Structures are given as structure tokens and as C-alpha cells.
């Protein structure tokens, strides 16, 4: 019985250690930025969404209307994010998960008619829909402000 308890305890410690390492790793990265004038494509993993034309159906979200550009930095802060870079046509922000502090990058690109968005986890494979929900929460908050 003691051996079983020790094995279970060791497995729990190993699992917690794995998630702590992932959390630390996610805090050391940065947003990919613009690639050839567009937001970076999503990887094949399901933990990313984008409104850019290069996004496949599984990763696709609608772009934001152009008139929300000026409101985005303040809204990002209100929704729990931190703006880490901003210029005339690009905003990079970071959102952290409450418990493990995993960092997700949320980027915006001002195009001619729309504001494109990309939200992606820095580590892991699945985010259980967190990035898609975040983009839709930002969209809902912008709609409520109008």
C-alpha cells in the first residue's frame, strides 16, 4: 500500500512539474508579429484563431470592423490583457491564464477595411477553445461600447 501511495505521489509531482515548466516557458516568448505584412499563420494545433485570409476554417474568426481600432488598447486592459507593442497598424497584447499564468498572444493588424485579429497560445496543443472565446468576448465588449 505504501508503494502505491508513493508512486501516485511521484506521478502527481511529475505532472505538476510539467505544467509549471510549461507556464515558465510560455512567459519567455513573444508575439510572432507581422509576417509579410500580415499576422502570422496559425499552426496546425487547435490553440489559435485568426481572421487573416490564410486561416483555414478550423482556425478562422471574423475580423473586427475598422472603426474599433482606437478603442482596442483600452479594451485590452479592461479585459485583463496588457498591450506590449503598438504602432500605426499593429497591436500586440498578452493575456495570462488565472491559475498557471500561461501566456496567450492576441495581436491586431489594421487593414484597409477591417482589423484582423490573431489569438494563440504560446505553449501546448489544445486550449479548450479559450482563444476563440477571448476573441468573441472582445467583440462582444466592443459591441456593448457602441
Amino acid at each position: 500500500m505504501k508503494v502505491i501511495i508513493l508512486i501516485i505521489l511521484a506521478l502527481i509531482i511529475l505532472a505538476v512539474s510539467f505544467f509549471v515548466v510549461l507556464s515558465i516557458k510560455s512567459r519567455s516568448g513573444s508575439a510572432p508579429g507581422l509576417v509579410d505584412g500580415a499576422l502570422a499563420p496559425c499552426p496546425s494545433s487547435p490553440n489559435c484563431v485568426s481572421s487573416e485570409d490564410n486561416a483555414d476554417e478550423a482556425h478562422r474568426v471574423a475580423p473586427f470592423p475598422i472603426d474599433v481600432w482606437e478603442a482596442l488598447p483600452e479594451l485590452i486592459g479592461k479585459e485583463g490583457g496588457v498591450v506590449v507593442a503598438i504602432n500605426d497598424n499593429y497591436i500586440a497584447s498578452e493575456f495570462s491564464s488565472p491559475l498557471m499564468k500561461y501566456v496567450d498572444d492576441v495581436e491586431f493588424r489594421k487593414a484597409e477595411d477591417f482589423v484582423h485579429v490573431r489569438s494563440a497560445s504560446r505553449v501546448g496543443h489544445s486550449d479548450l477553445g479559450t482563444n476563440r472565446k477571448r476573441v468573441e468576448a472582445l467583440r462582444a465588449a466592443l459591441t456593448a461600447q457602441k
Side-chain angles (χ1 to χ4, degrees):
M1 185 67 170
K2 280 185 178 181
V3 172
I4 292 174
I5 292 173
L6 287 175
I7 290 172
I8 292 172
L9 186 58
L11 290 173
I12 290 170
I13 291 170
L14 186 63
V16 169
S17 298
F18 172 75
F19 289 113
V20 167
V21 168
L22 276 181
S23 175
I24 292 167
K25 183 178 178 194
S26 80
R27 288 181 248 157
S28 66
S30 64
L34 298 177
V35 177
D36 296 326
L39 297 173
C42 284
S44 61
S45 58
N47 60 358
C48 177
V49 294
S50 176
S51 65
E52 289 283 4
D53 293 337
N54 58 18
D56 61 30
E57 196 59 37
H59 294 98
R60 184 123 178 98
V61 292
F64 289 90
I66 193 69
D67 65 341
V68 305
W69 180 256
E70 298 298 326
L72 284 171
E74 182 179 346
L75 179 68
I76 289 165
K78 285 181 180 177
E79 293 294 314
V82 176
V83 174
V84 295
I86 188 167
N87 64 37
D88 291 342
N89 70 338
Y90 176 75
I91 299 171
S93 62
E94 296 176 350
F95 286 76
S96 298
S97 64
L99 180 61
M100 295 298 291
K101 304 298 182 199
Y102 294 119
V103 177
D104 293 344
D105 294 303
V106 183
E107 302 170 279
F108 301 89
R109 179 181 70 86
K110 185 178 180 183
E112 197 169 309
D113 299 325
F114 300 104
V115 174
H116 286 286
V117 60
R118 178 185 188 273
S119 184
S121 302
R122 287 188 185 167
V123 296
H125 181 75
S126 176
D127 67 349
L128 303 174
T130 298
N131 283 293
R132 184 174 298 279
K133 290 173 192 168
R134 179 178 298 114
V135 168
E136 295 313 323
L138 289 167
R139 187 183 318 280
L142 286 165
T143 301
Q145 282 184 354
K146 290 185 177 181

PDB file of all heavy atoms in Angstrom, residues 27-63:
ATOM      1  N   ARG A  27       5.947  32.233 -20.564  1.00  0.00           N
ATOM      2  CA  ARG A  27       6.242  33.614 -20.182  1.00  0.00           C
ATOM      3  C   ARG A  27       7.514  34.147 -20.821  1.00  0.00           C
ATOM      4  O   ARG A  27       7.792  35.345 -20.753  1.00  0.00           O
ATOM      5  CB  ARG A  27       6.335  33.732 -18.660  1.00  0.00           C
ATOM      6  CG  ARG A  27       4.961  33.618 -18.013  1.00  0.00           C
ATOM      7  CD  ARG A  27       5.055  33.766 -16.522  1.00  0.00           C
ATOM      8  NE  ARG A  27       4.715  32.453 -15.962  1.00  0.00           N
ATOM      9  CZ  ARG A  27       5.071  32.040 -14.785  1.00  0.00           C
ATOM     10  NH1 ARG A  27       5.799  32.771 -14.014  1.00  0.00           N
ATOM     11  NH2 ARG A  27       4.709  30.853 -14.360  1.00  0.00           N
ATOM     12  N   SER A  28       8.304  33.283 -21.439  1.00  0.00           N
ATOM     13  CA  SER A  28       9.575  33.730 -22.001  1.00  0.00           C
ATOM     14  C   SER A  28       9.495  34.068 -23.485  1.00  0.00           C
ATOM     15  O   SER A  28      10.459  34.538 -24.055  1.00  0.00           O
ATOM     16  CB  SER A  28      10.653  32.658 -21.781  1.00  0.00           C
ATOM     17  OG  SER A  28      10.338  31.498 -22.521  1.00  0.00           O
ATOM     18  N   GLY A  29       8.356  33.863 -24.108  1.00  0.00           N
ATOM     19  CA  GLY A  29       8.224  34.127 -25.539  1.00  0.00           C
ATOM     20  C   GLY A  29       7.698  35.515 -25.833  1.00  0.00           C
ATOM     21  O   GLY A  29       7.633  36.384 -24.963  1.00  0.00           O
ATOM     22  N   SER A  30       7.330  35.710 -27.081  1.00  0.00           N
ATOM     23  CA  SER A  30       6.712  36.962 -27.501  1.00  0.00           C
ATOM     24  C   SER A  30       5.823  36.689 -28.712  1.00  0.00           C
ATOM     25  O   SER A  30       5.918  35.636 -29.339  1.00  0.00           O
ATOM     26  CB  SER A  30       7.764  38.018 -27.838  1.00  0.00           C
ATOM     27  OG  SER A  30       8.530  37.603 -28.941  1.00  0.00           O
ATOM     28  N   ALA A  31       4.983  37.650 -29.022  1.00  0.00           N
ATOM     29  CA  ALA A  31       4.089  37.514 -30.172  1.00  0.00           C
ATOM     30  C   ALA A  31       4.917  37.421 -31.447  1.00  0.00           C
ATOM     31  O   ALA A  31       5.966  38.053 -31.558  1.00  0.00           O
ATOM     32  CB  ALA A  31       3.153  38.710 -30.233  1.00  0.00           C
ATOM     33  N   PRO A  32       4.439  36.636 -32.423  1.00  0.00           N
ATOM     34  CA  PRO A  32       5.216  36.490 -33.661  1.00  0.00           C
ATOM     35  C   PRO A  32       5.274  37.757 -34.514  1.00  0.00           C
ATOM     36  O   PRO A  32       6.161  37.910 -35.330  1.00  0.00           O
ATOM     37  CB  PRO A  32       4.507  35.364 -34.412  1.00  0.00           C
ATOM     38  CG  PRO A  32       3.220  35.142 -33.736  1.00  0.00           C
ATOM     39  CD  PRO A  32       3.289  35.758 -32.387  1.00  0.00           C
ATOM     40  N   GLY A  33       4.343  38.678 -34.335  1.00  0.00           N
ATOM     41  CA  GLY A  33       4.362  39.914 -35.112  1.00  0.00           C
ATOM     42  C   GLY A  33       3.871  39.708 -36.535  1.00  0.00           C
ATOM     43  O   GLY A  33       3.249  38.694 -36.863  1.00  0.00           O
ATOM     44  N   LEU A  34       4.170  40.679 -37.381  1.00  0.00           N
ATOM     45  CA  LEU A  34       3.721  40.623 -38.771  1.00  0.00           C
ATOM     46  C   LEU A  34       4.700  39.804 -39.610  1.00  0.00           C
ATOM     47  O   LEU A  34       5.911  39.896 -39.437  1.00  0.00           O
ATOM     48  CB  LEU A  34       3.596  42.033 -39.346  1.00  0.00           C
ATOM     49  CG  LEU A  34       2.578  42.943 -38.658  1.00  0.00           C
ATOM     50  CD1 LEU A  34       2.616  44.334 -39.276  1.00  0.00           C
ATOM     51  CD2 LEU A  34       1.177  42.359 -38.721  1.00  0.00           C
ATOM     52  N   VAL A  35       4.142  39.017 -40.516  1.00  0.00           N
ATOM     53  CA  VAL A  35       4.925  38.220 -41.449  1.00  0.00           C
ATOM     54  C   VAL A  35       4.453  38.592 -42.842  1.00  0.00           C
ATOM     55  O   VAL A  35       3.292  38.366 -43.187  1.00  0.00           O
ATOM     56  CB  VAL A  35       4.723  36.700 -41.199  1.00  0.00           C
ATOM     57  CG1 VAL A  35       5.476  35.877 -42.223  1.00  0.00           C
ATOM     58  CG2 VAL A  35       5.123  36.329 -39.780  1.00  0.00           C
ATOM     59  N   ASP A  36       5.313  39.203 -43.617  1.00  0.00           N
ATOM     60  CA  ASP A  36       4.957  39.683 -44.950  1.00  0.00           C
ATOM     61  C   ASP A  36       3.731  40.592 -44.906  1.00  0.00           C
ATOM     62  O   ASP A  36       2.826  40.498 -45.740  1.00  0.00           O
ATOM     63  CB  ASP A  36       4.727  38.513 -45.918  1.00  0.00           C
ATOM     64  CG  ASP A  36       5.986  37.691 -46.148  1.00  0.00           C
ATOM     65  OD1 ASP A  36       7.088  38.286 -46.146  1.00  0.00           O
ATOM     66  OD2 ASP A  36       5.872  36.462 -46.327  1.00  0.00           O
ATOM     67  N   GLY A  37       3.660  41.438 -43.891  1.00  0.00           N
ATOM     68  CA  GLY A  37       2.591  42.412 -43.779  1.00  0.00           C
ATOM     69  C   GLY A  37       1.284  41.900 -43.208  1.00  0.00           C
ATOM     70  O   GLY A  37       0.315  42.646 -43.099  1.00  0.00           O
ATOM     71  N   ALA A  38       1.236  40.624 -42.822  1.00  0.00           N
ATOM     72  CA  ALA A  38       0.014  40.038 -42.248  1.00  0.00           C
ATOM     73  C   ALA A  38       0.358  39.398 -40.907  1.00  0.00           C
ATOM     74  O   ALA A  38       1.519  39.190 -40.580  1.00  0.00           O
ATOM     75  CB  ALA A  38      -0.562  38.982 -43.194  1.00  0.00           C
ATOM     76  N   LEU A  39      -0.681  39.106 -40.134  1.00  0.00           N
ATOM     77  CA  LEU A  39      -0.467  38.364 -38.897  1.00  0.00           C
ATOM     78  C   LEU A  39       0.026  36.963 -39.237  1.00  0.00           C
ATOM     79  O   LEU A  39      -0.363  36.394 -40.265  1.00  0.00           O
ATOM     80  CB  LEU A  39      -1.758  38.298 -38.090  1.00  0.00           C
ATOM     81  CG  LEU A  39      -2.300  39.651 -37.626  1.00  0.00           C
ATOM     82  CD1 LEU A  39      -3.674  39.486 -36.987  1.00  0.00           C
ATOM     83  CD2 LEU A  39      -1.344  40.329 -36.663  1.00  0.00           C
ATOM     84  N   ALA A  40       0.866  36.406 -38.405  1.00  0.00           N
ATOM     85  CA  ALA A  40       1.443  35.083 -38.656  1.00  0.00           C
ATOM     86  C   ALA A  40       0.340  34.035 -38.802  1.00  0.00           C
ATOM     87  O   ALA A  40      -0.694  34.112 -38.127  1.00  0.00           O
ATOM     88  CB  ALA A  40       2.369  34.688 -37.519  1.00  0.00           C
ATOM     89  N   PRO A  41       0.538  33.059 -39.672  1.00  0.00           N
ATOM     90  CA  PRO A  41      -0.453  31.978 -39.798  1.00  0.00           C
ATOM     91  C   PRO A  41      -0.541  31.162 -38.513  1.00  0.00           C
ATOM     92  O   PRO A  41       0.431  31.073 -37.755  1.00  0.00           O
ATOM     93  CB  PRO A  41       0.099  31.111 -40.933  1.00  0.00           C
ATOM     94  CG  PRO A  41       1.171  31.898 -41.585  1.00  0.00           C
ATOM     95  CD  PRO A  41       1.660  32.906 -40.594  1.00  0.00           C
ATOM     96  N   CYS A  42      -1.692  30.581 -38.273  1.00  0.00           N
ATOM     97  CA  CYS A  42      -1.854  29.687 -37.131  1.00  0.00           C
ATOM     98  C   CYS A  42      -1.126  28.378 -37.400  1.00  0.00           C
ATOM     99  O   CYS A  42      -1.084  27.905 -38.548  1.00  0.00           O
ATOM    100  CB  CYS A  42      -3.332  29.371 -36.892  1.00  0.00           C
ATOM    101  SG  CYS A  42      -4.238  30.710 -36.105  1.00  0.00           S
ATOM    102  N   PRO A  43      -0.578  27.754 -36.364  1.00  0.00           N
ATOM    103  CA  PRO A  43      -0.022  26.403 -36.533  1.00  0.00           C
ATOM    104  C   PRO A  43      -1.168  25.411 -36.711  1.00  0.00           C
ATOM    105  O   PRO A  43      -2.345  25.781 -36.608  1.00  0.00           O
ATOM    106  CB  PRO A  43       0.724  26.177 -35.215  1.00  0.00           C
ATOM    107  CG  PRO A  43       0.020  27.043 -34.226  1.00  0.00           C
ATOM    108  CD  PRO A  43      -0.456  28.239 -34.988  1.00  0.00           C
ATOM    109  N   SER A  44      -0.855  24.174 -36.923  1.00  0.00           N
ATOM    110  CA  SER A  44      -1.908  23.163 -37.118  1.00  0.00           C
ATOM    111  C   SER A  44      -2.645  22.825 -35.822  1.00  0.00           C
ATOM    112  O   SER A  44      -3.742  22.286 -35.856  1.00  0.00           O
ATOM    113  CB  SER A  44      -1.308  21.892 -37.722  1.00  0.00           C
ATOM    114  OG  SER A  44      -0.329  21.359 -36.843  1.00  0.00           O
ATOM    115  N   SER A  45      -2.071  23.157 -34.672  1.00  0.00           N
ATOM    116  CA  SER A  45      -2.724  22.863 -33.390  1.00  0.00           C
ATOM    117  C   SER A  45      -3.987  23.712 -33.230  1.00  0.00           C
ATOM    118  O   SER A  45      -4.087  24.801 -33.793  1.00  0.00           O
ATOM    119  CB  SER A  45      -1.752  23.119 -32.239  1.00  0.00           C
ATOM    120  OG  SER A  45      -1.302  24.453 -32.270  1.00  0.00           O
ATOM    121  N   PRO A  46      -4.950  23.240 -32.428  1.00  0.00           N
ATOM    122  CA  PRO A  46      -6.224  23.948 -32.305  1.00  0.00           C
ATOM    123  C   PRO A  46      -6.206  25.130 -31.340  1.00  0.00           C
ATOM    124  O   PRO A  46      -7.257  25.697 -31.065  1.00  0.00           O
ATOM    125  CB  PRO A  46      -7.164  22.843 -31.797  1.00  0.00           C
ATOM    126  CG  PRO A  46      -6.291  21.926 -31.037  1.00  0.00           C
ATOM    127  CD  PRO A  46      -4.961  21.934 -31.763  1.00  0.00           C
ATOM    128  N   ASN A  47      -5.042  25.544 -30.850  1.00  0.00           N
ATOM    129  CA  ASN A  47      -4.979  26.605 -29.847  1.00  0.00           C
ATOM    130  C   ASN A  47      -4.698  27.983 -30.437  1.00  0.00           C
ATOM    131  O   ASN A  47      -4.046  28.814 -29.829  1.00  0.00           O
ATOM    132  CB  ASN A  47      -3.948  26.262 -28.765  1.00  0.00           C
ATOM    133  CG  ASN A  47      -2.551  26.099 -29.312  1.00  0.00           C
ATOM    134  OD1 ASN A  47      -2.313  26.203 -30.502  1.00  0.00           O
ATOM    135  ND2 ASN A  47      -1.609  25.821 -28.430  1.00  0.00           N
ATOM    136  N   CYS A  48      -5.228  28.243 -31.624  1.00  0.00           N
ATOM    137  CA  CYS A  48      -5.008  29.510 -32.312  1.00  0.00           C
ATOM    138  C   CYS A  48      -6.215  29.814 -33.192  1.00  0.00           C
ATOM    139  O   CYS A  48      -6.796  28.899 -33.788  1.00  0.00           O
ATOM    140  CB  CYS A  48      -3.747  29.408 -33.173  1.00  0.00           C
ATOM    141  SG  CYS A  48      -3.376  30.887 -34.164  1.00  0.00           S
ATOM    142  N   VAL A  49      -6.570  31.099 -33.254  1.00  0.00           N
ATOM    143  CA  VAL A  49      -7.589  31.554 -34.197  1.00  0.00           C
ATOM    144  C   VAL A  49      -7.080  32.809 -34.883  1.00  0.00           C
ATOM    145  O   VAL A  49      -6.270  33.552 -34.323  1.00  0.00           O
ATOM    146  CB  VAL A  49      -8.951  31.837 -33.515  1.00  0.00           C
ATOM    147  CG1 VAL A  49      -9.561  30.557 -32.978  1.00  0.00           C
ATOM    148  CG2 VAL A  49      -8.833  32.887 -32.425  1.00  0.00           C
ATOM    149  N   SER A  50      -7.546  33.048 -36.102  1.00  0.00           N
ATOM    150  CA  SER A  50      -7.101  34.204 -36.870  1.00  0.00           C
ATOM    151  C   SER A  50      -8.174  34.612 -37.867  1.00  0.00           C
ATOM    152  O   SER A  50      -8.921  33.771 -38.372  1.00  0.00           O
ATOM    153  CB  SER A  50      -5.813  33.870 -37.620  1.00  0.00           C
ATOM    154  OG  SER A  50      -5.415  34.948 -38.450  1.00  0.00           O
ATOM    155  N   SER A  51      -8.197  35.909 -38.164  1.00  0.00           N
ATOM    156  CA  SER A  51      -9.121  36.405 -39.185  1.00  0.00           C
ATOM    157  C   SER A  51      -8.417  36.647 -40.516  1.00  0.00           C
ATOM    158  O   SER A  51      -9.056  37.043 -41.485  1.00  0.00           O
ATOM    159  CB  SER A  51      -9.772  37.715 -38.716  1.00  0.00           C
ATOM    160  OG  SER A  51      -8.803  38.739 -38.588  1.00  0.00           O
ATOM    161  N   GLU A  52      -7.126  36.419 -40.564  1.00  0.00           N
ATOM    162  CA  GLU A  52      -6.386  36.627 -41.812  1.00  0.00           C
ATOM    163  C   GLU A  52      -6.855  35.640 -42.883  1.00  0.00           C
ATOM    164  O   GLU A  52      -7.359  34.565 -42.577  1.00  0.00           O
ATOM    165  CB  GLU A  52      -4.884  36.466 -41.576  1.00  0.00           C
ATOM    166  CG  GLU A  52      -4.255  37.586 -40.793  1.00  0.00           C
ATOM    167  CD  GLU A  52      -4.001  38.873 -41.588  1.00  0.00           C
ATOM    168  OE1 GLU A  52      -4.384  38.972 -42.778  1.00  0.00           O
ATOM    169  OE2 GLU A  52      -3.416  39.793 -40.994  1.00  0.00           O
ATOM    170  N   ASP A  53      -6.646  36.004 -44.137  1.00  0.00           N
ATOM    171  CA  ASP A  53      -7.076  35.171 -45.261  1.00  0.00           C
ATOM    172  C   ASP A  53      -6.412  33.804 -45.266  1.00  0.00           C
ATOM    173  O   ASP A  53      -6.942  32.855 -45.831  1.00  0.00           O
ATOM    174  CB  ASP A  53      -6.792  35.879 -46.586  1.00  0.00           C
ATOM    175  CG  ASP A  53      -7.644  37.122 -46.758  1.00  0.00           C
ATOM    176  OD1 ASP A  53      -8.715  37.204 -46.125  1.00  0.00           O
ATOM    177  OD2 ASP A  53      -7.231  38.016 -47.523  1.00  0.00           O
ATOM    178  N   ASN A  54      -5.229  33.681 -44.633  1.00  0.00           N
ATOM    179  CA  ASN A  54      -4.501  32.408 -44.639  1.00  0.00           C
ATOM    180  C   ASN A  54      -5.039  31.403 -43.616  1.00  0.00           C
ATOM    181  O   ASN A  54      -4.542  30.291 -43.530  1.00  0.00           O
ATOM    182  CB  ASN A  54      -3.001  32.645 -44.423  1.00  0.00           C
ATOM    183  CG  ASN A  54      -2.703  33.368 -43.107  1.00  0.00           C
ATOM    184  OD1 ASN A  54      -3.531  33.405 -42.199  1.00  0.00           O
ATOM    185  ND2 ASN A  54      -1.522  33.955 -43.026  1.00  0.00           N
ATOM    186  N   ALA A  55      -6.052  31.780 -42.834  1.00  0.00           N
ATOM    187  CA  ALA A  55      -6.587  30.872 -41.803  1.00  0.00           C
ATOM    188  C   ALA A  55      -7.551  29.869 -42.423  1.00  0.00           C
ATOM    189  O   ALA A  55      -8.440  30.241 -43.191  1.00  0.00           O
ATOM    190  CB  ALA A  55      -7.303  31.672 -40.716  1.00  0.00           C
ATOM    191  N   ASP A  56      -7.374  28.595 -42.074  1.00  0.00           N
ATOM    192  CA  ASP A  56      -8.330  27.592 -42.547  1.00  0.00           C
ATOM    193  C   ASP A  56      -9.601  27.670 -41.700  1.00  0.00           C
ATOM    194  O   ASP A  56      -9.669  28.403 -40.715  1.00  0.00           O
ATOM    195  CB  ASP A  56      -7.712  26.190 -42.524  1.00  0.00           C
ATOM    196  CG  ASP A  56      -7.282  25.740 -41.141  1.00  0.00           C
ATOM    197  OD1 ASP A  56      -7.896  26.149 -40.138  1.00  0.00           O
ATOM    198  OD2 ASP A  56      -6.315  24.962 -41.052  1.00  0.00           O
ATOM    199  N   GLU A  57     -10.615  26.932 -42.081  1.00  0.00           N
ATOM    200  CA  GLU A  57     -11.923  27.024 -41.427  1.00  0.00           C
ATOM    201  C   GLU A  57     -11.867  26.724 -39.923  1.00  0.00           C
ATOM    202  O   GLU A  57     -12.556  27.362 -39.136  1.00  0.00           O
ATOM    203  CB  GLU A  57     -12.913  26.083 -42.119  1.00  0.00           C
ATOM    204  CG  GLU A  57     -14.359  26.365 -41.784  1.00  0.00           C
ATOM    205  CD  GLU A  57     -14.814  27.780 -42.144  1.00  0.00           C
ATOM    206  OE1 GLU A  57     -14.384  28.315 -43.177  1.00  0.00           O
ATOM    207  OE2 GLU A  57     -15.604  28.350 -41.363  1.00  0.00           O
ATOM    208  N   ALA A  58     -11.045  25.773 -39.517  1.00  0.00           N
ATOM    209  CA  ALA A  58     -10.955  25.409 -38.100  1.00  0.00           C
ATOM    210  C   ALA A  58     -10.369  26.529 -37.238  1.00  0.00           C
ATOM    211  O   ALA A  58     -10.651  26.607 -36.051  1.00  0.00           O
ATOM    212  CB  ALA A  58     -10.118  24.141 -37.939  1.00  0.00           C
ATOM    213  N   HIS A  59      -9.546  27.370 -37.840  1.00  0.00           N
ATOM    214  CA  HIS A  59      -8.878  28.434 -37.103  1.00  0.00           C
ATOM    215  C   HIS A  59      -9.493  29.818 -37.371  1.00  0.00           C
ATOM    216  O   HIS A  59      -9.064  30.801 -36.778  1.00  0.00           O
ATOM    217  CB  HIS A  59      -7.393  28.486 -37.486  1.00  0.00           C
ATOM    218  CG  HIS A  59      -6.638  27.279 -37.067  1.00  0.00           C
ATOM    219  ND1 HIS A  59      -6.369  26.227 -37.922  1.00  0.00           N
ATOM    220  CD2 HIS A  59      -6.100  26.931 -35.877  1.00  0.00           C
ATOM    221  CE1 HIS A  59      -5.687  25.305 -37.270  1.00  0.00           C
ATOM    222  NE2 HIS A  59      -5.511  25.701 -36.029  1.00  0.00           N
ATOM    223  N   ARG A  60     -10.475  29.887 -38.217  1.00  0.00           N
ATOM    224  CA  ARG A  60     -10.988  31.180 -38.696  1.00  0.00           C
ATOM    225  C   ARG A  60     -11.956  31.847 -37.723  1.00  0.00           C
ATOM    226  O   ARG A  60     -12.827  31.198 -37.156  1.00  0.00           O
ATOM    227  CB  ARG A  60     -11.698  30.979 -40.038  1.00  0.00           C
ATOM    228  CG  ARG A  60     -12.175  32.268 -40.657  1.00  0.00           C
ATOM    229  CD  ARG A  60     -11.583  32.424 -42.046  1.00  0.00           C
ATOM    230  NE  ARG A  60     -12.057  33.639 -42.675  1.00  0.00           N
ATOM    231  CZ  ARG A  60     -11.360  34.763 -42.698  1.00  0.00           C
ATOM    232  NH1 ARG A  60     -10.181  34.817 -42.146  1.00  0.00           N
ATOM    233  NH2 ARG A  60     -11.832  35.828 -43.284  1.00  0.00           N
ATOM    234  N   VAL A  61     -11.766  33.150 -37.549  1.00  0.00           N
ATOM    235  CA  VAL A  61     -12.730  34.024 -36.875  1.00  0.00           C
ATOM    236  C   VAL A  61     -12.924  35.234 -37.777  1.00  0.00           C
ATOM    237  O   VAL A  61     -12.088  35.521 -38.635  1.00  0.00           O
ATOM    238  CB  VAL A  61     -12.257  34.483 -35.475  1.00  0.00           C
ATOM    239  CG1 VAL A  61     -12.218  33.325 -34.492  1.00  0.00           C
ATOM    240  CG2 VAL A  61     -10.921  35.196 -35.542  1.00  0.00           C
ATOM    241  N   ALA A  62     -14.008  35.941 -37.583  1.00  0.00           N
ATOM    242  CA  ALA A  62     -14.278  37.134 -38.381  1.00  0.00           C
ATOM    243  C   ALA A  62     -13.383  38.287 -37.925  1.00  0.00           C
ATOM    244  O   ALA A  62     -13.076  38.399 -36.735  1.00  0.00           O
ATOM    245  CB  ALA A  62     -15.742  37.523 -38.251  1.00  0.00           C
ATOM    246  N   PRO A  63     -12.990  39.154 -38.855  1.00  0.00           N
ATOM    247  CA  PRO A  63     -12.233  40.343 -38.455  1.00  0.00           C
ATOM    248  C   PRO A  63     -13.159  41.325 -37.734  1.00  0.00           C
ATOM    249  O   PRO A  63     -14.383  41.200 -37.771  1.00  0.00           O
ATOM    250  CB  PRO A  63     -11.746  40.916 -39.787  1.00  0.00           C
ATOM    251  CG  PRO A  63     -12.711  40.425 -40.800  1.00  0.00           C
ATOM    252  CD  PRO A  63     -13.199  39.091 -40.310  1.00  0.00           C
TER     253      PRO A  63
END
